[in-house]
Amino acid sequence: MQYTDLENLTARYLHQDHQIQMEEGRYCKDFRLSMWASPVYRLSEDGREGGMSCDTFTYRIFRKADGKDCCQVLIKRLECCFSQGDGQISMTNLRWSTIQEMKPWEYKIPFPYETLRDWPQLALSGKNDGKEVLAVRNLQNLVFEHRLHEIAPLFSAREQASLFIEHCTKETVYGQARIGEWAEELLAGEKENHHCYLFFGITGIPVIEIYGDGKCAEGLFMTEVCRIHAASENKEEWKLYRHLGFVHSRFLKEEGQWRILTMELQTAADLPPVCYRNDLRYDKSGQSDEPWNIDQKKDGFVTLEDGMEAEKIINGWVLACRRGTLLSYMERYFKLPKGEPSMMIRSFGAKTKKLENLVQIREKLEDMTAQYRNRYYTFHAPTTPVLQYDGDKDHMTGTWFDCGTTNLRSAAKGPEDIPYMIFRNKYVHHFQRINGKWYFAEFYGEPVISMPDWHFDMKHSRGFVSVEGTECYPDAFIM
């Protein structure tokens, strides 16, 4: 059993749930789609028992009794147990628990439940090859990590190579060269869009199967896509559009490297459009002097063992933020036996000061810890990972997009109206292995897209947060 097996089996369950939910939405005008994030895995020493724990941002779209359509975010914890016997891996237990519910937004026009499309069929089970699955996952996520910059080399040179992105491409684009040209044209159009992004996407829940002689693969990924309409000189008219959907791709291995043969990104449900401003809180979108950085090269790789460790480290950061244990986390992952780590959480753009040693990082984390209050949880939730060695096998770069949901209790009007600051962030972390252990050499985070605040009613929310006398946010694998 490998950790990619656990990811695959959990993803199959969630995609099957989405198949059911789309049917439910058509008939009941009430359905849910989930984006997963910050997964962590555990395996027994003999590899016959395993577990997976992750967050889900579950979007419930429903029609109220008064006829108004709404979208509500439920922040949940999903945990699964697995067992292997007679060559078969089975999911033996599953818990999907609500942590808290955010206040819903209303759609200004009726939601088109009747025209909801079917969720795609899952790929047939292929070879159990975790190394190749991880390579294909990296390749697909590079399209998003690059944010369409320099993507032509990620596609096959065969003439049938194709790309379709709903709301961006008018029709399917064919051929490696034309795919690259189309992407450059779209990105060039952002200049007239006040440099605001016409495409930004995150992925999660990947089902990836390797077929035949190991040179063909198929993947199905959950997606959330953001588009900003900001052509007007009046910023009050700028809008942020978000779409939940899926990427269905086919891959070929050519000259020893995986390439995308076909990639189709379809929308399943539109979220309510919201106002967008790039001058209230810093985000990278809309900044003319902030070009997009490509932080991962193509054709890199990482072993399953080190990939699993990187995901464990990131899940540890997520939980330390929610549990008020950042200082002990720092002792484990920032305190290098030799050399100094650095940290930059670029919340103020170019004005942000880089922290260049452990003393400065400790001061930052002490301040974050001092602000921690139980039940006032902040949900940093990374997804779309690309994990690759950097130079040698003792240096690794990991990139993630983060669903940043920060509790602003100091601005709360009371327990029934607690605002949350919402961003899509990018993490770029450089890890170094010293004496067999991985540490942060460089920790980097940057806001990519700022969104209007969400609001939370602690008094009436269902879920873990509503339980009287609830203790610290639960650690992984104990719910």
Side-chain angles (χ1 to χ4, degrees):
M1 188 186 303
Q2 301 168 326
Y3 94 88
T4 49
D5 296 318
L6 312 187
E7 178 179 83
N8 191 311
L9 287 170
T10 308
R12 281 184 168 273
Y13 170 83
L14 288 168
H15 280 288
Q16 288 167 341
D17 179 68
H18 286 169
Q19 291 172 348
I20 296 168
Q21 291 295 329
M22 299 304 277
E23 189 82 358
E24 190 80 355
R26 279 193 289 270
Y27 290 108
C28 300
K29 296 181 174 56
D30 190 336
F31 69 104
R32 303 181 184 199
L33 296 175
S34 298
M35 173 64 70
W36 84 351
S38 48
V40 65
Y41 307 87
R42 65 178 181 184
L43 293 170
S44 63
E45 289 188 9
D46 62 4
R48 298 181 65 83
E49 303 290 333
M52 193 284 310
S53 175
C54 73
D55 302 315
T56 72
F57 281 68
T58 297
Y59 294 84
R60 180 192 174 202
I61 298 172
F62 63 101
R63 180 161 291 174
K64 297 192 298 183
D66 62 6
K68 294 181 180 179
D69 292 323
C70 294
C71 176
Q72 181 182 31
V73 179
L74 288 70
I75 300 174
K76 307 185 76 169
R77 163 74 68 80
L78 174 65
E79 295 196 332
C80 307
C81 296
F82 304 87
S83 182
Q84 182 171 8
D86 299 325
Q88 183 74 25
I89 304 172
S90 300
M91 184 184 294
T92 57
N93 192 24
L94 181 146
R95 292 185 179 181
W96 200 356
S97 308
T98 299
I99 301 298
Q100 66 186 58
E101 303 170 322
M102 308 305 290
K103 288 185 176 182
W105 319 291
E106 286 189 355
Y107 287 90
K108 292 186 177 180
I109 59 176
F111 186 88
Y113 299 98
E114 297 79 6
T115 59
L116 284 170
R117 59 163 37 108
D118 290 334
W119 200 263
Q121 297 297 308
L122 295 173
L124 297 174
S125 296
K127 291 186 176 180
N128 180 16
D129 192 329
K131 175 185 174 183
E132 302 294 354
V133 167
L134 201 53
V136 169
R137 191 184 79 175
N138 272 347
L139 172 63
Q140 180 65 81
N141 285 342
L142 280 172
V143 175
F144 295 87
E145 197 269 346
H146 284 21
R147 204 179 66 78
L148 301 183
H149 291 74
E150 302 178 16
I151 62 167
L154 306 178
F155 283 78
S156 169
R158 298 189 182 189
E159 62 181 16
Q160 62 264 48
S162 67
L163 171 66
F164 177 81
I165 300 178
E166 190 168 354
H167 301 298
C168 292
T169 50
K170 295 180 180 178
E171 55 188 17
T172 302
V173 181
Y174 288 95
Q176 183 191 66
R178 180 59 192 140
I179 289 170
E181 292 170 357
W182 168 82
E184 290 176 6
E185 291 165 3
L186 179 80
L187 295 169
E190 293 181 345
K191 183 177 180 180
E192 286 69 43
N193 200 45
H194 286 94
H195 302 280
C196 297
Y197 297 156
L198 294 171
F199 176 87
F200 173 81
I202 62 177
T203 69
I205 322 181
V207 173
I208 299 171
E209 299 291 352
I210 312 296
Y211 296 135
D213 59 0
K215 295 184 178 181
C216 299
E218 186 175 359
L220 181 64
F221 296 69
M222 176 69 184
T223 63
E224 178 187 325
V225 171
C226 298
R227 299 182 299 119
I228 300 168
H229 285 194
S232 173
E233 294 302 320
N234 181 6
K235 289 191 176 184
E236 298 298 326
E237 297 179 2
W238 292 8
K239 293 289 185 182
L240 170 63
Y241 296 89
R242 290 190 296 153
H243 315 282
L244 299 177
F246 53 85
V247 165
H248 183 202
S249 296
R250 291 182 172 84
F251 308 88
L252 292 178
K253 199 169 192 180
E254 301 174 339
E255 298 180 354
Q257 298 293 341
W258 286 103
R259 294 290 180 263
I260 301 169
L261 180 63
T262 64
M263 174 181 162
E264 182 179 30
L265 193 161
Q266 298 276 6
T267 294
D270 298 322
L271 300 181
V274 295
C275 297
Y276 174 76
R277 295 291 294 265
N278 67 340
D279 56 355
L280 301 178
R281 294 169 177 149
Y282 169 79
D283 57 355
K284 196 176 186 74
S285 177
Q287 310 300 322
S288 61
D289 58 347
E290 294 287 345
W292 186 260
N293 297 324
I294 295 177
D295 294 290
Q296 295 277 22
K297 62 183 183 298
K298 67 181 179 70
D299 300 339
F301 77 100
V302 72
T303 64
L304 285 167
E305 293 77 16
D306 291 335
M308 181 174 167
E309 183 65 20
E311 302 220 34
K312 173 185 174 183
I313 292 171
I314 292 304
N315 179 272
W317 167 261
V318 165
L319 288 182
C321 288
R322 297 179 201 171
R323 292 169 59 84
T325 57
L326 284 170
L327 294 177
S328 60
Y329 181 85
M330 177 201 69
E331 292 291 324
R332 170 60 185 85
Y333 291 110
F334 285 90
K335 195 172 184 179
L336 279 67
K338 53 183 178 181
E340 291 282 1
S342 68
M343 172 183 278
M344 179 178 281
I345 301 177
R346 202 169 182 263
S347 301
F348 301 98
K351 299 177 182 179
T352 307
K353 179 183 177 182
K354 183 177 182 180
L355 309 179
E356 298 182 326
N357 55 56
L358 190 63
V359 172
Q360 294 176 354
I361 292 172
R362 181 181 286 109
E363 290 176 355
K364 170 71 174 178
L365 299 187
E366 284 175 345
D367 179 65
M368 292 173 66
T369 301
Q371 298 177 40
Y372 172 81
R373 295 292 184 277
N374 188 36
R375 298 178 71 203
Y376 291 84
Y377 303 129
T378 284
F379 296 95
H380 291 299
T383 189
T384 325
V386 178
L387 307 169
Q388 300 184 132
Y389 291 124
D390 187 5
D392 58 53
K393 287 190 175 182
D394 286 329
H395 294 82
M396 176 171 49
T397 297
T399 53
W400 289 263
F401 290 137
D402 166 36
C403 302
T405 310
T406 302
N407 187 297
L408 299 177
R409 64 180 180 83
S410 61
K413 298 176 182 178
E416 295 181 71
D417 190 8
I418 302 170
Y420 270 72
M421 182 170 61
I422 308 301
F423 283 101
R424 293 296 175 262
N425 304 306
K426 185 176 183 181
Y427 287 161
V428 184
H429 298 329
H430 298 288
F431 302 97
Q432 183 176 354
R433 179 162 34 203
I434 303 174
N435 301 328
K437 292 184 179 180
W438 285 104
Y439 298 86
F440 281 107
E442 299 178 31
F443 182 109
Y444 184 91
E446 180 171 29
V448 175
I449 294 180
S450 173
M451 301 182 187
D453 290 353
W454 294 355
H455 291 266
F456 172 54
D457 181 350
M458 178 183 286
K459 188 174 180 180
H460 298 101
S461 173
R462 296 178 301 174
F464 177 83
V465 76
S466 69
V467 178
E468 288 293 330
T470 184
E471 298 181 353
C472 188
Y473 190 93
D475 205 349
F477 305 118
I478 65 170
M479 286 193 77

